[in-house]
Every structure is written in structure tokens, then in C-alpha cells.
Amino acid sequence: MKNIAVIGAGTMGNGIAHTFAQSGFKVTLIDIREASLERGLDTISKNLDRMVAKEKISEADKTTTLEHISTTTSMESGVKNADLVVEAATENVDLKLKIFKQLDDICKPEAILASNTSSISITQIAAVTSRPQQVIGMHFMNPVPIMKLVEIIRGYSTSDDVTKSIMELSKTLGKVPTEVNDYPGFVANRILMPMINESIETLYNNVAGVEEIDTVMKLGMAHPMGPLQLADFIGLDVCLSILNVMYDGFKNPKYAPCPLLVNMVAAGKLGVKSGEGFYDYAESRKAEHVAKQFVK
């Protein structure tokens, strides 16, 4: 696999594009908005600058990485020569199904189609294509260039050859791939999201305040970031979406999202991305501080 297409230029998409390009692959970054592509490239450039400043890469490495990335707003031209397509669009099942139907029609027959979904069924996504054996999950962690884990999710029909190929490919990116089966939330979010949700319930029930809850988990459990701070970093809307997927999938009340989380998302308090969540980032510019703290 030499040619990689990444759909979505947001936080995960530009991170995935960055990672593949830095590993020597030719990458086409695709988004429906030119402005999103420009922001994505700017983010990649700034992240590479940080790596240069920390002497992890050279200026020449940065230049070469950026040269490996092209952008387009055309799905058809962006994926037609791709050996692997990684979808990193919004965590919305209808949107993902629409995208995979399109990809199945326009990608070459041998292309592998992967989703970066953090909770949606790979089997369901694969079912809308004529190549379910070539559909797989590649759940990268944020920030993608730094975090080592990739959850490799096998759908019901995903072939052994495709799974092996994606596992080996992930290793060439310097990642540690972990194979999991296709159930709501997979492993990472099936464990993480109930913890975050319970932390929100603890706040909702006035057991303790935001900083107190995070301090207990950071100092008592050696977590690098408290669960409420982490929820802000992930995006409260994303947390809500994942919990809803698990609640719908398992029909178990333990996955039901806390009313406080539901209300905060409805009010547009989404965390770092909106400037306010459990913490206020707008005035003190904590958003940048949190991101840097997490990357260290």
C-alpha cells in the first residue's frame, strides 16, 4: 500500500494524514470544505514545528512530510487511486454509511476501506458495501502522531488477509495495533466512556467539584489527565454520541448518558473545541495548555 486517502480534515483526520505522510506514504486529505483543509494543513505544519523544536525530526523531515500530502474537496478524485481509504468523518452512523456507499462505488476493487470510528459497528458499515471482507476499523487515539495505540476492529466479514495487512501497516507507522472484535464501543471506549460518564454523575450528584474529581483520579489512580478534563479534550458531543451508541447497542442502563452531559451538549458547551466545558478555556487559553500537557 502506497497511496492513502483520508476523509475528514478535522482533529483525527489531519492527525492520521500527518502520521501516514511522516512514514513516507503519499496521502490525499479530503474534506467537503476548502477552509477545513487549510486548517488541517496548518495544524499539521504546527505539530511538525513542535517536533522540530523538540529535535524529534529535522526541518527536512517536516518539508518532506508536507510534500507527501495533497488535498481535495472531490471525493472521486481523492480516492480513485487509493490502496487504503481511512474515513475520519463525524461520529454519525448515517453519514458514515453514506460515505462508505460512495467509496464502494468509486474506489478500485482491491482497495481496503477503513473507518476511524470509535464506537459504530464495522459490520453495519461493511454491510452497505459490496466488499465487506475489505472493510475494517482503524481506531487511532488522539493526538494521533503521539499516541501509540491503534484498535484494529474486525467486522463480521473482515478477512484474515485484510486484518493481517492492516496490523502490519500499523506497525510501519510506529504504532502498536491491537485486534478487537466488533461490539459497541470496542475496548477503549467501552471501558473509558462509562468512567467518564460516572465522573459526570459524581459531579451531577454534588459529591465533589470538577477539579476535586480530576485530582482524585490523577493523584490517586495515576491518570495523566482527569476524566472531566479528558472529556473536554475529546469533546462532550463525541462522548455523548459514543455513550448513545453503546446504550442503543447493549440496551443496558449503565451506558445511559448523564443528564448533565446531555444538557451541556445541548447548550453548546463541548469542551476545548467550543472554549468551555467542565473547564473554561476562553479566557485563560487553557485549551492550548491542556493539549500541550497531554502531548508531553
Side-chain angles (χ1 to χ4, degrees):
M1 285 183 275
K2 296 181 179 179
N3 299 312
I4 312 297
V6 179
I7 299 174
T11 300
M12 296 304 295
N14 70 60
I16 293 167
H18 171 164
T19 300
F20 273 104
Q22 192 174 324
S23 298
F25 294 88
K26 292 182 179 179
V27 180
T28 303
L29 184 59
I30 305 162
D31 201 286
I32 58 173
R33 298 180 183 85
E34 189 66 44
S36 297
L37 291 169
E38 291 173 2
R39 284 195 299 272
L41 281 179
D42 184 58
T43 297
I44 293 170
S45 182
K46 287 178 179 177
N47 287 338
L48 288 167
D49 284 337
R50 291 192 186 98
M51 298 178 80
V52 171
K54 294 178 180 179
E55 299 183 346
K56 292 185 176 181
I57 63 172
S58 67
E59 281 286 354
D61 293 330
K62 174 190 172 182
T63 300
T64 301
T65 297
L66 291 174
E67 287 175 348
H68 284 157
I69 304 172
S70 60
T71 63
T72 182
T73 56
S74 168
M75 176 85 81
E76 186 166 359
S77 65
V79 305
K80 65 179 180 181
N81 295 318
D83 302 306
L84 169 68
V85 181
V86 182
E87 170 272 317
T90 303
E91 193 74 350
N92 177 286
V93 63
D94 292 332
L95 175 61
K96 291 186 186 294
L97 296 182
K98 179 181 177 182
I99 288 172
F100 273 79
K101 284 180 183 177
Q102 288 180 281
L103 292 176
D104 189 44
D105 289 338
I106 58 185
C107 288
K108 57 188 182 182
E110 65 271 26
I112 295 173
L113 309 182
S115 177
N116 181 58
T117 179
S118 55
S119 60
I120 296 169
S121 168
I122 299 300
T123 302
Q124 182 181 8
I125 291 171
V128 303
T129 76
S130 62
R131 59 181 95 187
Q133 73 281 359
Q134 291 162 236
V135 179
I136 196 165
M138 291 186 78
H139 180 208
F140 291 85
M141 304 294 127
N142 184 29
V144 180
I146 304 297
M147 300 293 278
K148 290 291 186 182
L149 177 66
V150 183
E151 271 190 308
I152 306 299
I153 304 104
R154 292 189 64 147
Y156 186 84
S157 300
T158 307
S159 73
D160 291 340
D161 286 345
V162 166
T163 303
K164 181 179 178 181
S165 177
I166 295 301
M167 293 283 284
E168 292 302 317
L169 176 68
S170 299
K171 292 175 185 177
T172 70
L173 301 176
K175 303 301 185 186
V176 178
T178 302
E179 182 181 336
V180 305
N181 291 319
D182 186 22
Y183 291 95
F186 316 132
V187 171
N189 282 316
R190 184 169 180 174
I191 295 170
L192 174 64
M193 286 301 153
M195 183 189 73
I196 286 177
N197 197 43
E198 191 63 29
S199 301
I200 300 170
E201 286 278 2
T202 302
L203 177 66
Y204 182 57
N205 292 325
N206 294 315
V207 177
V210 171
E211 293 189 7
E212 288 76 13
I213 291 168
D214 279 351
T215 297
V216 167
M217 297 305 291
K218 285 190 287 186
L219 300 185
M221 294 15 172
H223 290 194
M225 182 181 285
L228 299 177
Q229 189 181 31
L230 179 56
D232 275 356
F233 189 79
I234 294 169
L236 302 192
D237 53 336
V238 176
C239 294
L240 177 60
S241 176
I242 295 169
L243 284 164
N244 280 330
V245 167
M246 293 196 296
Y247 183 55
D248 290 342
F250 291 116
K251 300 296 188 287
N252 189 322
K254 74 178 181 179
Y255 298 114
C258 176
L260 176 59
L261 175 61
V262 174
N263 283 343
M264 289 179 72
V265 172
K269 311 299 184 184
L270 308 181
V272 171
K273 71 175 85 175
S274 69
E276 184 180 352
F278 293 107
Y279 293 87
D280 182 3
Y281 304 95
E283 294 181 6
S284 62
R285 299 189 61 80
K286 272 189 180 178
E288 187 173 352
H289 171 69
V290 167
K292 287 181 179 178
Q293 187 182 50
F294 188 59
V295 167
K296 287 181 181 177

